[in-house]
Amino acid sequence: MAEPPAIPWWRDAVVYQIYPRSFQDTNGDGVGDLAGVLRRLDYLSWLGVDALWLTPINESPDDDFGYDVSNYYDVHPALGDLGTVDRLIEAAGRCGIRIILDIVPNHTSDRHLWFVEARAARDSAQRNWYVWADPKPDGALPNNWRSAFGGPTWELDPSSCQYYLHQFLPSQPDLNWWNPEVGDEFDRILRFWFDRGVAGFRIDTANKVVKDALLRDNPPLRPTDPPMERRLGQRPVWSSNRPEVHEVWRRWRAVCREYDPERLLVGETVLDDLETVARYYGDDDELQLNFNFPFVFADFTAGALRDVVQRTEAAFGPGRWPVWTASNHDVSRFPTRWCRGDRRRIGMALLMLLTLRGTPFLYYGDELGMTDVPVPTDRLADPLSHRLPGLFRGRDPERTPMLWRSEPGAGFTVPSMEPWLPFGNSGLSVESQRNDPASTLRLCRDLIMLRRESSDLRAGDFGVLDAPDGVWAYRRGSSTVVALNFGDEEVAVPDVRGRVLIASNRERDGAEVPGVLRLGPAEGAVLLSDSAYSGCQNLYELR
Ligand code: NOJ
Ligand code: CA
């Protein structure tokens, strides 16, 4: 008999996102660093995560904290150096943890030597690495495109009287992916890091990298356009999701396939339409994983989450593997946004994240139920809070330092040092939760362990089960059931027979369920069911 196809490692994995500036400081400057990640490998190994995604570690002037790269082949000096990366990859590997880096192919810093060269003269060798355009004959901007960070996407370069394109900050000029030299350079960058043992990349703004070659005007919004599409105030049909972008990802995937195990690509695809997200998987020849922002932005209700997960299952089918994430460095943390700090709801959300069909990505601090931290105006660091004052809260509240201990410095930095962003509630620290069996941290860890042991949870198919209003119940594989009560009243879920494996109220772990599962307000449970479910209840098989 033919060998069954090997399951790629990332399907069984739980990935943990680290914002390195905020994880662990080792030299007392108030900024986290890569040596800090190394120092905390014991914790990460205890938590049970399989891979770390580090937001950009490259050299950068930090206009956008690493998303403005000035050298793709080296490390930001505040974070460490190449030697530290090598040691981290090696030491993490010994703990069974892989390292995923962030790559920014859409734009560079305006201080990158490529751009310095490009803007030096109209005929400079690297001019065409970026997107330049003349003003219209009447002096107007080359087109009507809007930047995701406010204002037009065009910045005038006074010395050459041409505009350059920037879909983010003016100091983040967009690269020109129509130029084959750019593609060749990024192949080299990929191989440079893969050769060092990096397991994969999270690709920044993966759907915007190729722009319309004719730079045509984007059409106006329609009343029916969904929320993420509306953000620019226009329909980004010529600046996003261009068909040619898929050629870039096919080419990158081919580079990933040069390595064993094959390297991983995870796309940041901030899109409402899940069919369009599904296209970034290609025919298993583009990105292996893509973030699911309709899930991130769904309301925390049974109906909204059930709907988005069912729509994902329907759009992806059995062949594409979803990603489930609820917090990241750009959005309010889920314990605040979804749960308003309610510990019961935070536990239920973790239980959901770790039991859906797909790869969960946790954001550092999710396991503690870390909430957003209000940042005083004089300490705001995110350029967006300065660029869009009053309009946007900025992204600092979700980027504050990890809480390791309940003491000055929080175990993050030396007690005398004020960290780059303020600390949150030290009552949530690792130290205060680690030995408490009822804590959010222990719940998260136990769910990760359960997932490791359960082939249903790792690989089983997904099917929605009947449940009363306000409850979302689903099965995984043939014998695992998850029920989540989003309501404020106790409910009885009929036709559930089996044993509770883990409940968000830990006192219920191990309880026998004789036929009716009672769930308290904001309570969730994973059960080993006595009833054998068959795949025919599976959503995509029903279609
Ligand atoms: C998405 C990143 O997650 C965000 O932090 C960054 O500002 C933009 N892309 C621009 O690179
Ligand atoms: Ca430091």
Side-chain angles (χ1 to χ4, degrees):
M1 233 171 63
E3 287 277 312
I7 307 278
W9 67 268
W10 42 264
R11 283 204 178 210
D12 287 345
V14 174
V15 183
Y16 186 91
Q17 180 192 349
I18 289 181
Y19 200 74
R21 292 178 66 85
S22 289
F23 197 60
Q24 175 69 61
D25 176 22
T26 56
N27 62 349
D29 64 357
V31 174
D33 41 55
L34 294 175
V37 180
L38 246 169
R39 185 186 285 180
R40 292 298 183 181
L41 281 175
D42 278 356
Y43 167 77
L44 295 162
S45 178
W46 171 83
L47 184 60
V49 297
D50 304 282
L52 310 177
W53 153 31
L54 310 179
T55 54
I57 61 164
N58 295 126
E59 267 179 29
S60 163
D62 282 339
D63 284 6
D64 191 15
F65 294 106
Y67 287 100
D68 49 324
V69 176
S70 51
N71 181 354
Y72 289 84
Y73 296 99
D74 214 338
V75 176
H76 193 307
L79 301 179
D81 55 20
L82 284 172
T84 329
V85 179
D86 292 344
R87 282 197 296 284
L88 176 61
I89 292 171
E90 212 257 323
R94 273 189 269 118
C95 304
I97 296 177
R98 297 171 203 257
I99 303 294
I100 299 170
L101 297 183
D102 212 311
I103 192 162
V104 189
N106 182 69
H107 48 268
T108 68
S109 161
D110 62 354
R111 273 140 285 173
H112 196 298
L113 288 181
W114 303 339
F115 190 71
V116 172
E117 213 279 345
R119 84 182 324 175
R122 276 190 183 224
D123 60 355
S124 69
Q126 276 173 306
R127 182 77 171 178
N128 198 27
W129 281 45
Y130 294 85
V131 183
W132 297 93
D134 292 324
K136 289 205 169 135
D138 64 358
L141 297 174
N143 70 15
N144 72 348
W145 295 0
R146 312 275 310 163
S147 153
F149 286 175
T153 50
W154 298 102
E155 185 75 8
L156 187 66
D157 172 49
S159 62
S160 63
C161 295
Q162 276 198 314
Y163 286 94
Y164 66 84
L165 182 80
H166 62 89
Q167 296 198 75
F168 296 92
L169 294 174
S171 59
Q172 292 169 302
D174 273 39
L175 285 160
N176 173 17
W177 276 84
W178 292 99
N179 180 347
E181 288 172 7
V182 171
D184 292 345
E185 184 69 35
F186 272 86
D187 287 354
R188 278 192 284 278
I189 294 168
L190 293 176
R191 292 193 185 101
F192 175 84
W193 292 101
F194 289 161
D195 288 343
R196 303 190 97 89
V198 164
F201 280 107
R202 174 267 193 191
I203 305 173
D204 191 58
T205 195
N207 56 313
K208 288 177 180 257
V209 167
V210 179
K211 290 64 91 159
D212 177 44
L214 300 177
L215 301 173
R216 279 166 275 199
D217 277 349
N218 280 329
L221 285 177
R222 298 173 301 198
T224 50
D225 287 330
M228 281 178 256
E229 284 269 308
R230 304 189 76 83
R231 286 183 167 189
L232 295 180
Q234 58 187 199
R235 296 178 55 223
V237 296
W238 298 112
S239 48
S240 289
N241 302 314
R242 300 308 306 148
E244 300 84 2
V245 78
H246 295 280
E247 285 165 32
V248 177
W249 307 140
R250 280 193 287 276
R251 174 178 176 150
W252 282 30
R253 183 66 182 276
V255 176
C256 290
R257 287 196 163 132
E258 294 167 10
Y259 292 83
D260 183 20
E262 186 186 331
R263 302 309 200 231
L264 171 67
L265 299 174
V266 189
E268 187 209 20
T269 44
V270 186
L271 295 166
D272 295 281
D273 180 31
L274 288 159
E275 303 280 346
T276 312
V277 176
R279 282 211 287 281
Y280 284 87
Y281 290 76
D283 189 11
D284 192 23
D285 58 355
E286 296 188 33
L287 314 181
Q288 295 100 319
L289 295 175
N290 286 287
F291 287 113
N292 184 331
F293 283 89
F295 176 80
V296 176
F297 294 125
D299 289 341
F300 195 62
T301 63
L305 289 163
R306 182 174 51 219
D307 174 65
V308 70
V309 170
Q310 286 191 223
R311 284 191 293 112
T312 305
E313 289 279 338
F316 285 21
R320 300 185 183 90
W321 195 251
V323 172
W324 305 112
T325 184
S327 304
N328 68 33
H329 61 293
D330 293 328
V331 300
S332 162
R333 287 176 175 273
F334 82 78
T336 297
R337 184 168 37 87
W338 273 352
C339 310
R340 314 232 169 274
D342 176 346
R343 308 311 294 171
R344 294 171 311 173
R345 284 181 200 280
I346 294 168
M348 191 171 88
L350 285 168
L351 194 140
M352 169 187 72
L353 280 172
L354 290 160
T355 57
L356 288 168
R357 185 187 80 95
T359 300
F361 275 56
L362 299 173
Y363 184 47
Y364 80 97
D366 276 358
E367 74 276 29
L368 307 176
M370 235 171 98
T371 44
D372 292 345
V373 178
V375 177
T377 317
D378 62 349
R379 296 204 47 193
L380 289 174
D382 181 14
L384 285 196
S385 41
H386 300 298
R387 201 166 150 84
L388 308 169
L391 276 181
F392 185 59
R393 64 196 254 291
R395 298 167 294 181
D396 298 315
E398 58 263 22
R399 296 177 175 180
T400 61
M402 180 70 174
L403 301 164
W404 296 103
R405 287 201 296 271
S406 309
E407 62 184 32
F412 167 75
T413 189
V414 290
S416 55
M417 188 66 191
E418 195 54 40
W420 78 289
L421 286 175
F423 291 119
N425 171 6
S426 64
L428 296 176
S429 73
V430 172
E431 178 187 52
S432 64
Q433 295 196 44
R434 193 166 172 156
N435 296 321
D436 172 4
S439 67
T440 305
L441 175 58
R442 288 285 290 273
L443 172 66
C444 184
R445 176 177 189 255
D446 291 347
L447 286 165
I448 294 173
M449 295 304 153
L450 178 66
R451 199 183 158 91
R452 273 196 181 169
E453 288 158 17
S454 161
S455 58
D456 270 359
L457 286 181
R458 289 195 318 275
D461 60 359
F462 169 90
V464 175
L465 302 173
D466 283 342
D469 279 355
V471 175
W472 179 27
Y474 49 88
R475 68 165 179 82
R476 294 294 317 285
S478 57
S479 51
T480 303
V481 167
V482 177
L484 306 162
N485 176 16
F486 290 78
D488 293 323
E489 309 288 332
E490 185 182 294
V491 286
V493 188
D495 298 325
V496 184
R497 220 164 257 101
R499 185 168 53 86
V500 173
L501 294 170
I502 296 185
S504 55
N505 169 2
R506 304 305 300 275
E507 286 171 13
R508 307 203 45 197
D509 287 10
E512 296 295 332
V513 178
V516 175
L517 170 67
R518 295 195 180 282
L519 287 176
E523 194 179 319
V526 196
L527 296 97
L528 192 62
S529 167
D530 288 347
S531 328
Y533 293 94
S534 79
C536 70
Q537 288 166 321
N538 187 292
L539 188 76
Y540 37 80
E541 281 159 85
L542 274 180
R543 283 201 304 160

Short mmCIF file of all heavy atoms in Angstrom, two decimals, residues 8 20 30 41 47 70 82 89 146 186-187 210 246 266 358 379 384 397 402 416 423 443 471 485 494 498:
data_model
loop_
_atom_site.label_atom_id
_atom_site.label_comp_id
_atom_site.label_asym_id
_atom_site.label_seq_id
_atom_site.Cartn_x
_atom_site.Cartn_y
_atom_site.Cartn_z
N PRO A 8 2.14 17.89 6.92
CA PRO A 8 3.15 18.92 7.17
C PRO A 8 3.08 19.40 8.62
O PRO A 8 2.00 19.45 9.20
CB PRO A 8 2.80 20.03 6.18
CG PRO A 8 1.48 19.70 5.60
CD PRO A 8 1.11 18.29 5.96
N PRO A 20 8.91 41.17 19.30
CA PRO A 20 10.16 41.06 20.08
C PRO A 20 10.44 42.24 21.00
O PRO A 20 11.01 42.07 22.07
CB PRO A 20 11.24 40.89 19.01
CG PRO A 20 10.53 40.32 17.83
CD PRO A 20 9.15 40.92 17.87
N GLY A 30 14.89 48.59 28.29
CA GLY A 30 13.43 48.77 28.25
C GLY A 30 12.79 48.29 26.96
O GLY A 30 11.58 48.45 26.76
N LEU A 41 12.74 30.44 26.23
CA LEU A 41 12.38 29.20 25.53
C LEU A 41 11.83 28.14 26.47
O LEU A 41 10.94 27.37 26.11
CB LEU A 41 13.58 28.65 24.77
CG LEU A 41 13.90 29.34 23.44
CD1 LEU A 41 15.18 28.77 22.85
CD2 LEU A 41 12.75 29.19 22.43
N LEU A 47 4.75 25.84 27.76
CA LEU A 47 3.41 26.20 27.25
C LEU A 47 2.98 25.22 26.16
O LEU A 47 1.80 24.96 25.97
CB LEU A 47 3.45 27.64 26.74
CG LEU A 47 2.16 28.27 26.24
CD1 LEU A 47 1.09 28.29 27.34
CD2 LEU A 47 2.42 29.69 25.72
N SER A 70 15.33 48.45 6.41
CA SER A 70 16.42 49.13 5.72
C SER A 70 17.54 48.16 5.32
O SER A 70 18.47 48.55 4.63
CB SER A 70 16.99 50.27 6.58
OG SER A 70 17.30 49.80 7.87
N LEU A 82 22.97 38.63 13.80
CA LEU A 82 22.75 37.35 13.12
C LEU A 82 23.13 36.16 14.00
O LEU A 82 22.49 35.12 13.99
CB LEU A 82 23.54 37.31 11.80
CG LEU A 82 22.94 38.13 10.66
CD1 LEU A 82 23.91 38.18 9.48
CD2 LEU A 82 21.59 37.57 10.22
N ILE A 89 17.58 29.92 16.69
CA ILE A 89 17.05 28.84 15.84
C ILE A 89 17.54 27.49 16.37
O ILE A 89 16.76 26.53 16.49
CB ILE A 89 17.49 29.03 14.38
CG1 ILE A 89 16.82 30.27 13.79
CG2 ILE A 89 17.16 27.79 13.53
CD1 ILE A 89 17.35 30.69 12.43
N ARG A 146 -5.60 55.68 -2.36
CA ARG A 146 -5.46 56.15 -0.99
C ARG A 146 -4.52 55.22 -0.22
O ARG A 146 -4.53 54.01 -0.44
CB ARG A 146 -6.82 56.16 -0.26
CG ARG A 146 -7.95 56.80 -1.04
CD ARG A 146 -8.01 58.28 -0.88
NE ARG A 146 -7.99 58.69 0.51
CZ ARG A 146 -7.70 59.94 0.91
NH1 ARG A 146 -7.40 60.86 0.01
NH2 ARG A 146 -7.73 60.26 2.19
N PHE A 186 14.42 39.08 -3.86
CA PHE A 186 13.67 38.44 -2.78
C PHE A 186 13.88 36.93 -2.74
O PHE A 186 13.87 36.34 -1.66
CB PHE A 186 12.18 38.85 -2.82
CG PHE A 186 11.95 40.11 -2.02
CD1 PHE A 186 12.12 41.36 -2.62
CD2 PHE A 186 11.63 40.05 -0.68
CE1 PHE A 186 11.96 42.53 -1.88
CE2 PHE A 186 11.47 41.22 0.07
CZ PHE A 186 11.64 42.46 -0.53
N ASP A 187 14.13 36.32 -3.89
CA ASP A 187 14.51 34.89 -3.86
C ASP A 187 15.78 34.72 -3.02
O ASP A 187 15.90 33.80 -2.22
CB ASP A 187 14.78 34.36 -5.27
CG ASP A 187 13.51 34.18 -6.08
OD1 ASP A 187 12.42 34.36 -5.52
OD2 ASP A 187 13.63 33.87 -7.29
N VAL A 210 1.58 43.36 -5.82
CA VAL A 210 1.61 43.75 -7.24
C VAL A 210 0.49 44.76 -7.48
O VAL A 210 -0.65 44.55 -7.07
CB VAL A 210 1.43 42.53 -8.16
CG1 VAL A 210 1.44 42.95 -9.62
CG2 VAL A 210 2.55 41.51 -7.90
N HIS A 246 -0.38 36.38 -7.72
CA HIS A 246 -0.33 34.93 -7.50
C HIS A 246 0.94 34.32 -8.11
O HIS A 246 1.44 33.32 -7.62
CB HIS A 246 -1.60 34.26 -8.03
CG HIS A 246 -2.81 34.72 -7.26
ND1 HIS A 246 -3.15 34.20 -6.03
CD2 HIS A 246 -3.73 35.69 -7.52
CE1 HIS A 246 -4.23 34.81 -5.58
NE2 HIS A 246 -4.59 35.71 -6.46
N VAL A 266 2.94 32.07 5.26
CA VAL A 266 1.65 32.45 5.87
C VAL A 266 1.33 33.86 5.41
O VAL A 266 2.11 34.79 5.67
CB VAL A 266 1.75 32.49 7.41
CG1 VAL A 266 0.37 32.65 8.03
CG2 VAL A 266 2.47 31.28 7.96
N GLY A 358 -7.84 23.70 12.05
CA GLY A 358 -6.89 24.63 11.45
C GLY A 358 -5.76 24.89 12.43
O GLY A 358 -5.68 24.26 13.49
N ARG A 379 3.15 59.08 25.67
CA ARG A 379 3.98 57.88 25.47
C ARG A 379 3.61 57.11 24.21
O ARG A 379 4.13 56.03 23.97
CB ARG A 379 3.85 56.96 26.69
CG ARG A 379 4.40 57.64 27.92
CD ARG A 379 4.85 56.71 28.99
NE ARG A 379 5.68 55.62 28.57
CZ ARG A 379 5.95 54.58 29.35
NH1 ARG A 379 5.45 54.53 30.56
NH2 ARG A 379 6.72 53.59 28.92
N LEU A 384 0.93 55.71 13.63
CA LEU A 384 -0.46 55.95 13.21
C LEU A 384 -1.21 56.83 14.19
O LEU A 384 -2.09 57.60 13.79
CB LEU A 384 -1.21 54.63 13.05
CG LEU A 384 -0.83 53.84 11.82
CD1 LEU A 384 -1.87 52.78 11.53
CD2 LEU A 384 -0.70 54.77 10.63
N PRO A 397 -1.75 49.96 22.44
CA PRO A 397 -2.39 49.22 23.56
C PRO A 397 -2.21 47.71 23.47
O PRO A 397 -2.20 47.03 24.50
CB PRO A 397 -3.87 49.61 23.44
CG PRO A 397 -3.86 50.95 22.76
CD PRO A 397 -2.70 50.89 21.79
N MET A 402 5.23 42.01 27.85
CA MET A 402 4.78 40.76 28.48
C MET A 402 4.93 40.88 29.99
O MET A 402 5.89 41.48 30.49
CB MET A 402 5.65 39.62 27.93
CG MET A 402 5.32 38.26 28.46
SD MET A 402 3.73 37.64 27.86
CE MET A 402 3.78 35.98 28.52
N SER A 416 14.30 49.34 37.61
CA SER A 416 14.45 50.79 37.54
C SER A 416 14.10 51.35 36.16
O SER A 416 14.07 52.56 35.96
CB SER A 416 15.90 51.16 37.87
OG SER A 416 16.74 50.43 36.98
N PHE A 423 3.41 49.06 31.26
CA PHE A 423 2.93 47.73 31.64
C PHE A 423 1.42 47.74 31.87
O PHE A 423 0.85 48.73 32.30
CB PHE A 423 3.58 47.27 32.95
CG PHE A 423 5.05 46.99 32.84
CD1 PHE A 423 5.96 47.71 33.59
CD2 PHE A 423 5.50 45.99 31.99
CE1 PHE A 423 7.32 47.45 33.49
CE2 PHE A 423 6.86 45.72 31.90
CZ PHE A 423 7.76 46.46 32.65
N LEU A 443 -5.33 26.89 31.72
CA LEU A 443 -6.35 26.44 30.77
C LEU A 443 -5.74 26.39 29.37
O LEU A 443 -5.88 25.40 28.63
CB LEU A 443 -7.56 27.38 30.79
CG LEU A 443 -8.61 27.13 29.69
CD1 LEU A 443 -9.30 25.78 29.90
CD2 LEU A 443 -9.65 28.26 29.66
N VAL A 471 -25.82 29.28 21.86
CA VAL A 471 -24.79 28.25 22.03
C VAL A 471 -24.28 27.86 20.65
O VAL A 471 -25.06 27.75 19.70
CB VAL A 471 -25.35 27.00 22.74
CG1 VAL A 471 -24.31 25.88 22.80
CG2 VAL A 471 -25.82 27.36 24.14
N ASN A 485 -21.20 28.39 25.34
CA ASN A 485 -22.39 29.18 25.67
C ASN A 485 -22.01 30.66 25.72
O ASN A 485 -21.33 31.10 26.66
CB ASN A 485 -22.95 28.73 27.02
CG ASN A 485 -24.13 29.60 27.45
OD1 ASN A 485 -24.70 30.33 26.64
ND2 ASN A 485 -24.48 29.52 28.74
N PRO A 494 -29.04 19.65 24.66
CA PRO A 494 -29.51 18.26 24.65
C PRO A 494 -28.64 17.36 23.78
O PRO A 494 -27.83 17.84 22.97
CB PRO A 494 -30.93 18.38 24.07
CG PRO A 494 -30.94 19.64 23.29
CD PRO A 494 -29.88 20.54 23.85
N GLY A 498 -21.28 11.83 27.19
CA GLY A 498 -19.84 11.58 27.17
C GLY A 498 -19.16 12.13 28.41
O GLY A 498 -19.78 12.19 29.48
#
